[in-house]
Amino acid sequence: MTLRQAQGTNRQAQGTNRQEAVEVVRDDKAVYAAGAVVWRLTAEGKLRILLIHRTKYHDVTLPKGKVDPGEMLAQTAVREVREETGIRVHLGVPVGVSRYFMRPKRQKVVHYWAAEATDEAIRRSAFVPNHEIAALEWVSLKRARKNLSYPVDLEILDEFERLVDDGVLRTYPIAVLRHAKALSRSEWDGPDAGRPLTERGHRQSEAIVAPLRAFGVRRIVTSDAVRCVQTVTPLANAIERTPVMTELISQDAWEDGAADLRKVVGKRVRSGKPAVICSHGPVLPGILSELALATGTMHGSYLGSASALEVGAFSVAHLSATNPGSGIISIETHVPKI
């Protein structure tokens, strides 16, 4: 698995922009895991985060767990939060990676995201103390710093608190997806827009369903080319939504100078709703550029990295739901290894 992250807080009022890029490539000697800083606001508007008290280790930590075979990291984070706390969450901004050694030469790498727990999700939790988790505890950031057992968790909390201080904790995602593996032009006699997915492409389209759902995607916009429509069909079936098919982001329209990326991207940004936009490799840089323009975000090399996607891969841009002037808060890229 590969996960690239670029984080930036675009503070137009102060005229500053912070960008940092991190690329994490799987090391077969490492153990990979994922989790979240789960947070909520009380009726009085006070921020609380969720800590877990583990039975076996007699410690206090953040919810997390190891990646199951075939899982992508975002999928793992959501599953582990639910298994350990009973709470269903959608992922927000990534808040860091912790690394530590379980034993000599055996490193554990844990990816974390911020994740808001809604009141409804908390009410639906059926958590009871068990042989793994002794208790759950909602605490303030100050109390969390005193209670957490490990320094690596405090480092994750530092990044989380920066989001709080910047006023950009609550976000919504726009995922930009490159279609899965399709038949090559040499293998296809019909029009280019009619090229279907290969067997591998269909596997890729299934593999990205859970990771995209982890970010709460509820709207799907796709190029009307067959390979794009087939890529998003499993996701559309899973979330019971009909994709919006448009030639405005198709490769044919882009090559003919008839595309209108600005119209499509602008509508998605204005909606403020979690969405995925599926298009073609040559079109993706323009889509990411329009996303930066629509949010007032400074351009940088991170846009090139986020748009240089393998087939079936997607980049998630996190936008502030409460502070539109903050621009793109973070971009992360997910690659299915199929």
Side-chain angles (χ1 to χ4, degrees):
M1 80 193 54
T2 302
L3 171 61
R4 294 196 303 268
Q5 297 179 0
Q7 297 188 352
T9 300
N10 186 31
R11 305 176 186 174
Q12 292 179 317
Q14 288 101 349
T16 62
N17 183 274
R18 176 173 57 88
Q19 305 281 352
E20 23 178 319
V22 178
E23 182 169 3
V24 180
V25 180
R26 186 178 179 91
D27 175 359
D28 289 337
K29 294 182 179 179
V31 175
Y32 282 80
V37 180
V38 181
W39 63 275
R40 63 184 286 256
L41 293 178
T42 68
E44 297 76 25
K46 295 182 179 181
L47 178 68
R48 296 291 182 265
I49 67 170
L50 185 62
L51 305 183
I52 61 171
H53 294 248
R54 295 196 295 183
T55 307
K56 179 179 179 180
Y57 300 102
H58 302 287
D59 60 5
V60 180
T61 186
L62 302 168
K64 65 179 181 300
K66 290 188 289 186
V67 175
D68 281 347
E71 278 188 333
M72 293 172 68
L73 287 163
Q75 178 181 357
T76 300
V78 169
R79 176 183 57 77
E80 284 291 341
V81 168
R82 187 183 177 200
E83 289 181 358
E84 293 190 339
T85 71
I87 300 173
R88 291 177 179 266
V89 297
H90 293 140
L91 302 181
V93 177
V95 289
V97 182
S98 68
R99 297 175 177 83
Y100 53 92
F101 283 91
M102 303 166 60
R103 57 180 182 269
K105 299 184 179 181
R106 188 66 166 172
Q107 189 181 45
K108 189 168 186 178
V109 181
V110 190
H111 289 255
Y112 287 95
W113 285 262
E116 181 178 10
T118 65
D119 290 340
E120 181 180 2
I122 294 171
R123 285 194 298 269
R124 289 186 175 184
S125 171
F127 171 81
V128 293
N130 53 71
H131 67 283
E132 290 187 1
I133 310 299
L136 305 179
E137 184 181 18
W138 289 99
V139 299
S140 66
L141 282 170
K142 183 177 180 180
R143 176 61 64 180
R145 291 190 177 281
K146 293 181 179 179
N147 290 6
L148 284 168
S149 300
Y150 305 109
V152 289
D153 287 347
L154 295 178
E155 294 173 1
I156 299 301
L157 210 60
D158 287 341
E159 180 60 30
F160 178 85
E161 193 163 5
R162 278 192 282 271
L163 295 172
V164 176
D165 293 341
D166 288 337
V168 293
L169 181 57
R170 180 171 282 146
T171 58
Y172 67 95
I174 294 182
V176 179
L177 167 67
R178 184 179 180 184
H179 66 76
K181 179 66 176 177
L183 287 179
S184 66
R185 296 193 183 195
S186 63
E187 298 174 300
W188 180 249
D189 293 331
D192 183 67
R195 282 194 288 132
L197 296 184
T198 63
E199 181 179 342
R200 178 190 172 208
H202 282 293
R203 293 199 305 271
Q204 289 173 331
S205 70
E206 295 285 350
I208 60 177
V209 171
L212 284 168
R213 293 190 72 181
F215 292 101
V217 167
R218 297 295 297 164
R219 286 164 174 77
I220 304 170
V221 181
T222 180
S223 159
D224 58 359
V226 169
R227 56 192 181 277
C228 287
V229 175
Q230 289 184 339
T231 297
V232 300
T233 294
L235 174 64
N237 292 337
I239 65 176
E240 299 181 334
R241 292 292 179 107
T242 302
V244 175
M245 294 177 283
T246 175
E247 64 178 359
L248 297 179
I249 56 173
S250 70
Q251 186 164 341
D252 283 349
W254 180 80
E255 291 176 349
D256 294 340
D260 195 343
L261 311 183
R262 183 163 299 177
K263 180 178 180 179
V264 174
V265 172
K267 184 176 181 179
R268 295 275 48 90
V269 172
R270 290 192 299 274
S271 76
K273 304 295 184 182
V276 59
I277 300 173
C278 181
S279 189
H280 311 260
V283 187
L284 298 181
I287 291 177
L288 267 296
S289 180
E290 291 296 339
L291 187 57
L293 287 170
T295 56
T297 308
M298 293 176 63
H299 280 62
S301 60
Y302 69 97
L303 288 177
S305 297
S307 62
L309 297 176
E310 300 177 24
V311 288
F314 62 91
S315 290
V316 182
H318 297 274
L319 310 179
S320 175
T322 56
N323 189 356
S326 298
I328 297 174
I329 307 304
S330 172
I331 295 182
E332 53 184 303
T333 297
H334 297 259
V335 184
K337 289 302 180 184
I338 293 178

